[in-house]
Amino acid sequence: MKLDTDTPLDSYSLAAMARTEDILGFLVDDLNVVGSKDAFKNILYGVRLIVEGKNRRLSDFSEIINEDEDEDKNDKNNKLEDSFKINVFRENLIEDIISIIKQNGFKQVNRVKDSTHILVKIPEPTQNQLNEFAGETKRIERSAISRIARIKSDAIQRIKAALEREYIEPHIAVPAKAHLENIQQSAVFEIRLISLKKRKSLLGRFFSYSDEEEKKLGKKLEKSPHNDLFAN
């Protein structure tokens, strides 16, 4: 993801710009996971069950099958659009594993006939889950903004050190700092737009603006390319 700039940049600003654009790209990747099939899969990594008197992780006895590796992905009876498949390593544990998965919010869990695979249907998220997803989106937004601030701080420290060692002159340092300030402001604006779009996409008709400032941001989002992100 690219940021626009109106003036040529110095080496410090160019380096900061590259790191900033990387963070914007990572932000979109991270937000794509929130509320997705992968997010529901991740719930199972923390699930535990008692096996032979010991408290064990579900992942010790099973694995989620990668869709690219699934031999039955074209089987009409095992569509994975809103489901995912688990392979259980020990057949005698299949019924116990089905039961524990159901206890963790997955109501439609069925064994695939003549196999050690379990098909888990992803449930429609509850209102509480949607709110949790929106909260996770805000947390990711804050983390990205914090990383952007560190990029600016690191670059300013490098400029300061270069000035002290007389590697650069003040007439280079002053505009470089101004560029860094502009890069940070522009990036924070983009992050907030992207985060807002994700929350609107998650909450749908349940979304409401938190204040007038966010409502103004929403109007800017309508004219932004980011409005095409996270399409359902």
Side-chain angles (χ1 to χ4, degrees):
M1 183 170 294
K2 299 293 184 182
L3 289 174
D4 294 327
T5 180
D6 296 328
T7 59
L9 297 180
D10 55 274
S11 61
Y12 300 97
S13 301
L14 284 171
M17 176 77 84
R19 291 176 62 192
T20 297
E21 289 173 346
D22 285 343
I23 286 176
L24 292 175
F26 295 146
L27 171 70
V28 174
D29 291 341
D30 290 343
L31 291 180
N32 268 323
V33 174
V34 178
S36 70
K37 181 188 291 190
D38 286 337
F40 280 95
K41 289 179 183 178
N42 291 340
I43 293 173
L44 296 182
Y45 288 115
V47 171
R48 306 187 75 91
L49 70 162
I50 303 298
V51 178
E52 298 168 353
K54 296 181 180 179
N55 192 326
R56 304 288 297 274
R57 292 184 181 277
L58 177 61
S59 55
D60 292 339
F61 302 99
S62 64
E63 63 179 355
I64 296 172
I65 299 174
N66 188 310
E67 292 181 26
D68 295 334
E69 300 172 354
D70 184 15
E71 297 176 355
D72 300 323
K73 62 183 178 181
N74 296 320
D75 187 341
K76 293 181 179 179
N77 295 319
N78 291 313
K79 288 185 177 179
L80 299 180
E81 292 178 1
D82 58 353
S83 307
F84 58 91
K85 197 178 289 184
I86 295 173
N87 180 41
V88 181
F89 304 143
R90 288 171 51 175
E91 189 168 2
N92 65 310
L93 294 178
I94 289 178
E95 293 306 317
D96 288 340
I97 287 176
I98 288 175
S99 176
I100 201 74
I101 291 174
K102 286 183 176 180
Q103 291 174 30
N104 280 271
F106 298 88
K107 301 306 180 186
Q108 295 187 43
V109 186
N110 298 290
R111 181 176 182 176
V112 178
K113 186 177 180 182
D114 299 326
S115 76
T116 57
H117 294 172
I118 295 172
L119 192 65
V120 182
K121 182 177 175 60
I122 297 172
E124 286 294 321
T126 64
Q127 186 61 50
N128 282 340
Q129 285 176 319
L130 289 175
N131 291 336
E132 288 175 5
F133 293 151
E136 175 67 3
T137 298
K138 289 294 289 183
R139 185 197 67 77
I140 292 172
E141 173 192 330
R142 290 192 297 270
S143 177
I145 290 173
S146 177
R147 291 199 297 272
I148 295 296
R150 286 199 297 272
I151 289 173
K152 175 189 169 185
S153 177
D154 290 346
I156 287 177
Q157 288 301 315
R158 289 176 56 219
I159 292 171
K160 182 180 178 181
L163 274 171
E164 290 174 350
R165 292 175 174 82
E166 298 184 350
Y167 293 156
I168 62 173
E169 298 293 332
H171 73 274
I172 295 176
V174 172
K177 290 179 180 179
H179 288 151
L180 291 170
E181 181 68 29
N182 290 337
I183 290 169
Q184 181 189 31
Q185 290 180 1
S186 178
V188 169
F189 175 72
E190 298 295 325
I191 288 169
R192 286 178 173 154
L193 278 180
I194 293 168
S195 173
L196 176 59
K197 172 58 181 179
K198 178 63 178 184
R199 285 184 287 118
K200 292 185 74 172
S201 177
L202 284 169
L203 296 174
R205 62 187 177 88
F206 298 109
F207 175 83
S208 61
Y209 292 109
S210 59
D211 52 37
E212 285 300 316
E213 182 180 351
E214 189 171 73
K215 187 178 291 187
K216 291 177 182 177
L217 192 65
K219 292 186 180 300
K220 294 178 180 179
L221 175 63
E222 293 173 1
K223 301 176 183 179
S224 167
H226 299 322
N227 205 31
D228 295 328
L229 291 172
F230 316 119
N232 294 325

